[in-house]
Amino acid sequence: MAESVQLDNRLTSVLDRDSARFKVNRDALLQLMATIREEEYTIRQGGGARSAEAQHAKGRLTVRERLKLLLDEGSELLELGLWAAHGMYGEYGGAPGAGVVTGLGRVSGRLCMIVANDATVKAGAFFPMTAKKVLRAQTIAMENRIPTLYLVDSAGVFLPLQEDVFPDTDDFGRIFRNNAVMSAMGISQITAIMGMCVAGGAYLPVMTDTVLMTEGSGLFLAGPSLVQAAIGQKTDAEELGGAAMHAEISGTVDFKEPNDHVCLARMRSLVGKMGQRAGAEPAAEIFRRRAFDHERDAPRYAAEEVYGLLNPAPGATNIYDMREVIARIVDRSEFDEYKEEFGRTVLCGYAWIGGHAVGIVANQKTNQSQRVAMGPAAGAMRIEVGGVIYTEGAQKAARFIMDCNQNLAPLIFLHDVNGFMVGKDAEWSGIIRAGAKMVTAVSTSVTPKIAVIVGGSFGAGHYAMCGKAYDPRFLFAWPTARYAVMSGASAAATLAEVRAKQLERNGKKLSEGEKTALQDEIRAGYDAQADPRYGAARLWIDAIIDPARTREVLIAALEACALNPEAPRFNPGVIQT
């Protein structure tokens, strides 16, 4: 009788925690994390203490106080878009967090998308980035079929910037269109009006399934002053659009509540009674799941050890084994690596994360040896640079992504990519064809995709690794991320040379010192734009996350993805072969 064999697919860490490089990297990253946490604390203060006092004087809670009452005790909001509008709108005094809080949180045991205006920031008015942040939250809710709760306290469009808020496809009006589409998709939406809700913004609550309103709030298309100016009618806010009027006369609101506390308790009660569609989480089997135990299934290695992997300084050369990251985010550090000996600068494999079966595509950052398959150097061994996608790696990744779609395994992309290989050997080997195959597989993938930018994410490599344009359900970044067409050093050298030649054509020859100064100036600007905070301010990134919380964040994102049990038929179309 044949004996059963126990597969050992556990990753073994070789990270030297006592090395000088590990300690330098860890200290630098911890210092950067402290800076980011301090900046995030400031963002979360919204309009500041005086604005919070003004909110309290009206008998209303601040947005953070409301969220604390809404969320289940002991649970936290996975905040998305916190950095939105960071460093923008300075001429208007700024708009911390774009004046709205969005994120995933548990309410009466249900995972919900929450969209809550921060009235301490310009009375909750909608800046251009406010609209885009709400639209991103709605997009995530639609893709994952997440019940959505709105806490409305907003003065409407920020009028000085109305041309950038009002008219376009991805502007303010799209929010109400999404309300209707979400309702048609069967995604539950509940709104609590807890302050002002005026002008076009008045449509948002009424476009949702259930409307709550607190006494002292206002809901009207035009406020008393505008009504008098438009039609000469004099009325006060309460008579025009107060909670009593809408509950007793217009019938617009479903629940009238005396204050924020009772209103939020009512919302929790309503969420607790929501039904669940057939196939929705936790019963969904379309994406493979297994029973999960936090202690039994924990990774074998401490999450905090990832702090020592990367030097966060712009332009730093980071050489490390991406398996060290994978070993600290997957259940039991088990990883079934796919085509391990082929295309070694791209790692692919299957794992469990929080009981969810996933496929992982990651850039390998150590230099690798690979036998050349074709071209001038066919048969010889070559050294492949870590973080670069070669023909073999692109072919492997494309096939693996297609397999994950066949197996209905959600895909996790871990970015630290410089781009695709260039040069004669690469072109002869068909790098463009292989890259097109990988991009096609990513583009047509129907299984959920989640991306984490660990280090660099440059050029076409960003696209192939499921960048923002390729519809990841979520896109997160470590503070060590760099996000641009090319690295600051490469861009500075190229642009400085172009600038110098332009000046020379105009009769001015730069000295070496002037060339160096010009290059440093360009590089500084480029590095600033590649910083993840710059990208997060523009919502290219959903959240900047603590590297040690990567597993926790991925589990939350996978739980959200499991709420949508639908996967269309995978059809990659005409794919390069």
Side-chain angles (χ1 to χ4, degrees), residues 64-277:
R64 302 284 170 181
E65 291 167 340
R66 287 169 175 168
L67 291 174
K68 189 174 181 180
L69 291 174
L70 177 64
L71 295 171
D72 291 351
E73 188 174 354
S75 70
E76 291 184 7
L77 184 73
L78 175 55
E79 192 160 350
L80 305 172
L82 172 64
W83 291 83
H86 179 65
M88 302 169 69
Y89 311 126
E91 65 273 36
Y92 302 107
V100 63
V101 179
T102 63
L104 296 173
R106 291 213 173 264
V107 178
S108 296
R110 292 291 296 271
L111 186 66
C112 297
M113 175 62 74
I114 297 168
V115 178
N117 296 118
D118 185 349
T120 70
V121 178
K122 301 293 188 297
F126 273 69
F127 285 76
M129 292 307 300
T130 315
K132 287 175 173 53
K133 183 170 174 177
V134 174
L135 289 172
R136 176 60 181 158
Q138 288 182 320
T139 297
I140 291 171
M142 285 189 283
E143 288 178 337
N144 299 291
R145 307 293 193 271
I146 309 172
T148 303
L149 311 179
Y150 303 89
L151 307 185
V152 176
D153 192 349
S154 171
V157 168
F158 186 66
L159 291 178
L161 294 174
Q162 66 85 26
E163 65 178 284
D164 297 317
V165 181
F166 172 72
D168 211 347
T169 306
D170 58 348
D171 285 341
F172 193 53
R174 188 78 172 184
I175 295 171
F176 318 134
R177 176 264 184 195
N178 285 351
N179 289 140
V181 170
M182 290 167 71
S183 186
M185 293 170 67
I187 300 170
S188 297
Q189 299 173 88
I190 302 177
T191 299
I193 302 169
M194 311 177 81
M196 289 299 103
C197 186
V198 295
Y203 282 110
L204 185 150
V206 186
M207 297 287 289
T208 63
D209 305 331
T210 306
V211 185
L212 295 76
M213 188 172 181
T214 59
E215 294 177 7
S217 295
L219 171 65
F220 28 66
L221 289 180
S225 297
L226 185 55
V227 168
Q228 184 173 356
I231 62 173
Q233 185 180 75
K234 291 185 178 181
T235 180
D236 62 32
E238 185 62 29
E239 184 182 21
L240 180 65
M245 190 284 289
H246 280 303
E248 300 169 20
I249 300 174
S250 78
T252 301
V253 303
D254 304 309
F255 297 90
K256 182 188 76 171
E257 308 299 347
N259 54 47
D260 286 7
H261 293 79
V262 177
C263 186
L264 292 166
R266 177 80 70 184
M267 179 175 269
R268 285 182 51 79
S269 178
L270 294 172
V271 172
K273 297 175 179 66
M274 280 183 184
Q276 191 150 279
R277 295 182 179 276

Side-chain angles (χ1 to χ4, degrees), residues 48 59 71 95 123 126 156-157 167 178 184 210 212 214 251 263 288 318 322 327 453 469 487 492 506 512 542 569:
L71 295 171
F126 273 69
V157 168
N178 285 351
T210 306
L212 295 76
T214 59
C263 186
R288 187 73 178 129
N318 285 302
M322 185 64 86
I453 304 177
S487 68
N506 293 326
E512 288 304 315
D542 291 317
R569 177 175 171 269

Side-chain angles (χ1 to χ4, degrees), residues 44-71:
R44 289 190 173 100
Q45 302 313 301
R50 289 184 63 181
S51 296
E53 290 171 7
Q55 184 79 346
H56 291 154
K58 297 173 186 174
R60 299 172 189 161
L61 300 174
T62 65
V63 66
R64 302 284 170 181
E65 291 167 340
R66 287 169 175 168
L67 291 174
K68 189 174 181 180
L69 291 174
L70 177 64
L71 295 171

Side-chain angles (χ1 to χ4, degrees), residues 26-46:
R26 179 195 60 203
D27 292 347
L29 184 50
L30 287 173
Q31 184 175 352
L32 176 58
M33 282 298 306
T35 299
I36 285 178
R37 288 192 186 105
E38 186 176 335
E39 291 177 330
E40 289 182 340
Y41 174 81
T42 300
I43 293 170
R44 289 190 173 100
Q45 302 313 301

Side-chain angles (χ1 to χ4, degrees), residues 399-474:
R399 171 60 187 271
F400 178 72
I401 291 165
M402 289 190 282
D403 282 359
C404 285
N405 277 271
Q406 183 77 355
N407 299 330
L408 290 174
L411 281 156
I412 310 294
F413 292 84
L414 301 177
H415 294 221
D416 197 345
V417 59
N418 299 333
F420 286 91
M421 188 58 186
V422 298
K424 186 170 73 172
D425 289 348
E427 298 295 355
W428 283 34
S429 71
I431 186 65
I432 298 175
R433 179 163 45 86
K437 185 186 300 185
M438 182 176 177
V439 171
T440 297
V442 171
S443 302
T444 58
S445 177
V446 297
T447 193
K449 297 171 290 191
I450 302 170
V452 181
I453 304 177
V454 172
S457 191
F458 298 118
H462 172 75
Y463 300 155
M465 291 295 293
C466 194
K468 188 65 181 291
Y470 293 81
D471 299 323
R473 299 280 183 95
F474 299 92

Side-chain angles (χ1 to χ4, degrees), residues 315 486-494 519 523 526-527:
M486 64 179 74
S487 68
S490 299
T494 302
Q519 190 165 324
R523 179 171 180 168
Y526 209 89
D527 283 341

